[in-house]
Amino acid sequence: MSRSTFSAPHEKLGSNVGLILDVPSSNLGISKRKWHSAFITIYCSRAFLSLQPSTLRKHTNSTFISRTLSYSIVRVEPVSVPAINGFKADQKSLTELVKEKNFKELLELGGIEEVASALKTDAEHGINGDDAEDIARRHEAFGSNTYKKPPTQGFLHFVWEAFKDLTILILLGCAALSLGFGIKEHGLKEGWIDGGSICLAVILVISVSAISNYRQSRQFDKLSKVSNNLQIEAVRNGRRQQISIFEIVVGDVICLKIGDQVPADGLLLDGHSLSVDESSMTGESDHVEVSVTENPFLFSGTKIADGYGRMLVTSVGMNTNWGEMMSQISQDSSEKTPLQARLDKLTSSIGKVGLAVAFFVLVVMLVRYFTGNTEDENGNKEYNGSKTKSDDIINAVIGIVAAAVTIVVVAIPEGLPLAVTLTLAYSMKRMMVDNAMVRKLSACETMGSATTICTDKTGTLTMNQMKVTKFWLEKECVEEEAYSSISPYVLDLIQEGVALNTTGGVYRPSLDSEIEISGSPTEKAILSWAVHGSNMDMEKVVKSCSILHVEAFNSKKKQSGVLVKRKGDNSIHVHWKGAAEMILAMCTSYYNATGVVKDMDTSEKRNFEQIIQGMAASSLRCIAFAHKKVPTEERLNADEKVVLKEDGLTLLGVVGLKDPCRPGVKKAVEECQYAGVNVKMITGDNVFTAKAIATECGILRPDQDMLGAVIEGVEFRNYTPEQRMEKVKKICVMARSSPFDKLLMVQCLKQKGHVVAVTGDGTNDAPALKEADIGLSMGIQGTEVAKESSDIVIMDDNFASVATVLMWGRCVYNNIQKFIQFQLTVNVAALVINFVAAVSAGQVPLTAVQLLWVNLIMDTLGALALATEKPTKELMEKPPVGRTAPLITNIMWRNLLPQALYQITVLLILQFRGKAIFGVSDKVKDTLIFNTFVLCQIFNEFNARKLEKKNVFKGIHTNKLFMGIIAVTIVLQVVMVEVLKKFADTERLNWGQWGVCIGIAVMSWPIGWLVKCIPVPEKPIFSYLKMKKNKHSV
């Protein structure tokens, strides 16, 4: 056909388009006219095609996307829009694309591949992690993966909170009145002393309280930074590597697996059976299916519920919904622990007693004053009816009220809540050093009461360093050097099953470099065995097949499967991998070493079961591989749901993985058992492996009766509730358990009155971790879901650290009890002395300033000294404290009452006979009482170190802080008596008087020793009173 045949219609079409576009063709040059003609031809041919509906209908059922869509990228990025920092995408568009789940717009953009290209990301190999400039450009263009935090509470906030305390307000009111009347009566030079000293004491109390709470708040912030700094698996330079969540940038390729938290907003590049829990964002509990073809959108803060995949990061930090939400949530560090709540109740009860005593003292002293029974320093009556000046009456009443208020102040043990705060803060800090990160304060103290620990096996009792040590093919164990004798066909199938049915990866930068294997310990061990043992070329195997469908592994199924299509012959194959006995149950035949398929009858299956049991009894974890070729007639159509064949499989082989026990785990288990804590092992492994490991760790004794001590999860599940409650105590090992079985066991133990601690690392362990009294998650192998459900994160995944946490928990409880005993001795003695003196003599020997000083010293320095005692092995020699055990035990009452009685007796003798005995003035006598009282508390602080042991000085050299505080207290007391005479209302004492005070105080040591020889009943004292009440009521 000649050229002219084309030119006529072209010219005609050109002129028509020229009219439409109002561009006269005659005005164009020859070369421009040819280009114009070519453009019109393409334009019109596409326009005519669009008018043919029949051609479109022909392709509607096709799975292929029309090629014309690929040109639409031209419309998205106009030539006039400059690239931002070299990226052909802007943050706003990317954020809206994912937020609105706009799949249509994503297709118009050219799909995920085009978005990756616009972000300069290689979808397969990720970004170049070594290029600092590229990372910096991404930070500049799209921001960092951090979010703005609400401003933390400043120091002044905690000062204001301390000011709101009712006692402080009463004291301030009293100080103001005292200042006013003091200055009026004695002038500014001396009149300020009483009121000023109360103000100073109040300021000190507020400062200590505010500083303590402020430091605790800062510590919570530090802990939240550590807990939020998740390690994420990213692909950079083609290599899987762990990076901090804060280092993620837009364009990064992130690997996701079951239990992971999605670290940023993004699009799914590829994945299998991926479902996401979006309840943290939407509140909906149903899991959302995520796939490349329908819903590839992933949101920061959501959790992977099932499956695995790789995502392309499109938004980070404040550009995500999660970032916006988290920036408005402040960490609540004011959580009240159960012990703090109990102490608040105790403080309140003591405060009420103090208030009653103070009110009684107030009434008695007012009556004595107004009836003329009180005298001044010169022996004259203070009140003479109408002759007494109104100012003198007001001053006297103010003095009486001040004395009554002081009794209230000394009665209220303000140091108790402070002691708990200091103890918890100190123990949290020390536990972090011992590889335990406390997420909930209450767990510190609850752990001390734990009666049962339900622990995982893998990674907790064992090292989680798997290695394939046995390989069985047919019914023979094949050594590594004999792998060459195996049929290449069988070897290829095994390698196919290993390489394609895995969540791990193999990376080799160059031929000279070492092979890097990533994944879970089990996956790494199997991949390492295949690569090094059978010379598997992972990349070659992966490229030879395409994956059609994946059944991801989870702790319930204990197996994973993959449907693959070979590119060479288009044949379709199913590969299964998982717990050996479960895979064996799916098989009806097996391969021998020569590649021949043999039928598996009942006796053959029994032989295989014995092989698996033998391996398991040697502490090996058994993993089996099975295969089946899918016949052509059984292949599914595109719209049918894929279900992998689970029957009629052919067994390829069984591998045995050795995971050695952690060093020191047997000793840690024995320590827990010696402390009266029952250790139970709950594992997904089979019963023979579980039994072998439990015996090795000391959970089972070799001579122990195994009937009822070792059971399988399914057996426990099928018990009636009554049977479970009856048998749960005897169970030591539960094998082949599901997360539901673990939850059931926790519920049963709690119903029986046990305080249960549970370790867990998987997503499905979350219910059991939440249900337990103390949830312990694993820091290395634990998923983010497990960590969020737990109270304490064991950073090194080691059971020995669990035993350390138990010891710290007991230490917290013990330190609090020590301080309660010490504090109550002070309170009882001070209350009784002032009460007796006020009622009998009309005066209090301990002034407001002195009592405030005692309260301050004992509350703050005493709390600090006793709260920082480190845990000792002695703590593990006692049985655990029960849920309902009283806070003040019989032992504590035995220790504190004789000490208080001794102090009361001595100080009352000094009060009524001191002047005569020592031949001193009233002022010196009162100073002797004050000095003796303070020194008694200092010496009694040593007694408080040990509640039961007679030797209170054991290990004192290791607690330098305790000795330092004692030294500081003594120095301050000397200053109070000898230097601040006017302030403290004291007189200087001579060496002999100091010797008498010290001699009286030292006697508290032998009294403490003798008292500990007195036996006490185990049953709490107050339980007898309740029993008597019940008898009377009957």
Side-chain angles (χ1 to χ4, degrees), residues 159 179 239 283 354 361 435 503 523 554 584 614 717 733 739 833 838 841 856 859 864-865 909 939-940 983 994-995:
V159 171
L179 265 173
R239 176 183 169 199
V361 166
N435 294 309
T503 53
E523 295 287 4
N554 65 41
L584 183 67
R717 209 179 310 146
V733 176
I833 292 158
L856 186 68
D859 278 4
L864 195 62
I909 290 169
F939 283 94
N940 193 35
F983 177 77
W994 270 101

Side-chain angles (χ1 to χ4, degrees), residues 673 691 694-706 732:
Q673 290 170 337
K691 204 185 290 183
T695 307
E696 201 177 330
C697 293
I699 292 169
L700 289 174
R701 295 186 309 278
D703 58 338
Q704 189 173 338
D705 177 21
M706 297 298 172
C732 296

Side-chain angles (χ1 to χ4, degrees), residues 137-356:
R137 276 199 306 274
R138 291 175 189 275
H139 273 302
E140 196 180 332
F142 306 108
S144 62
N145 200 28
T146 54
Y147 49 83
K148 293 173 191 167
K149 289 189 177 177
T152 50
Q153 305 287 9
F155 179 68
L156 290 175
H157 167 80
F158 295 100
V159 171
W160 178 246
E161 287 298 312
F163 254 114
K164 290 178 182 176
D165 186 86
L166 182 63
T167 315
I168 295 292
L169 293 173
I170 294 169
L171 273 173
L172 283 171
C174 208
L177 290 169
S178 185
L179 265 173
F181 288 106
I183 292 167
K184 189 181 175 187
E185 189 180 356
H186 303 291
L188 184 62
K189 196 174 180 182
E190 290 185 6
W192 70 272
I193 292 172
D194 270 4
S197 57
I198 294 172
C199 284
L200 187 63
V202 166
I203 289 165
L204 283 169
V205 169
I206 286 169
S207 300
V208 170
S209 179
I211 289 165
S212 169
N213 290 331
Y214 178 72
R215 287 190 66 188
Q216 190 188 344
S217 171
R218 294 287 81 81
Q219 195 168 343
F220 262 100
D221 287 344
K222 279 182 189 174
L223 282 173
S224 67
K225 276 179 189 172
V226 173
S227 61
N228 291 338
N229 187 13
L230 313 177
Q231 290 300 303
I232 305 296
E233 192 172 32
V235 179
R236 288 184 174 180
N237 306 333
R239 176 183 169 199
R240 284 191 184 191
Q241 52 190 279
Q242 294 282 332
I243 63 169
S244 164
I245 189 170
F246 304 128
E247 292 172 14
I248 290 172
V249 292
V250 168
D252 255 323
V253 174
I254 306 295
C255 300
L256 299 170
K257 62 182 184 300
I258 187 168
D260 282 354
Q261 178 177 310
V262 179
D265 285 4
L267 299 165
L268 183 68
L269 286 168
D270 52 63
H272 301 285
S273 308
L274 199 69
S275 65
V276 177
D277 176 6
E278 292 186 356
S279 58
S280 58
M281 298 295 292
T282 62
E284 296 292 330
S285 57
D286 292 338
H287 294 161
V288 178
E289 297 293 327
V290 178
S291 64
V292 178
T293 53
E294 288 177 13
N295 175 30
F297 305 102
L298 290 158
F299 297 95
S300 178
T302 57
K303 310 286 188 305
I304 305 298
D306 201 2
Y308 60 90
R310 295 185 317 133
M311 72 173 278
L312 172 72
V313 175
T314 58
S315 298
V316 291
M318 290 301 294
N319 293 313
T320 66
N321 277 339
W322 184 252
E324 285 175 21
M325 194 164 70
M326 290 305 286
S327 67
Q328 292 161 18
I329 298 171
S330 58
Q331 179 76 31
D332 181 22
S333 59
S334 60
E335 171 204 2
K336 274 258 194 284
T337 72
L339 189 57
Q340 279 176 323
R342 285 173 78 182
L343 282 173
D344 284 349
K345 202 174 175 184
L346 179 67
T347 306
S348 173
S349 302
I350 295 168
K352 284 171 186 173
V353 172
L355 203 62

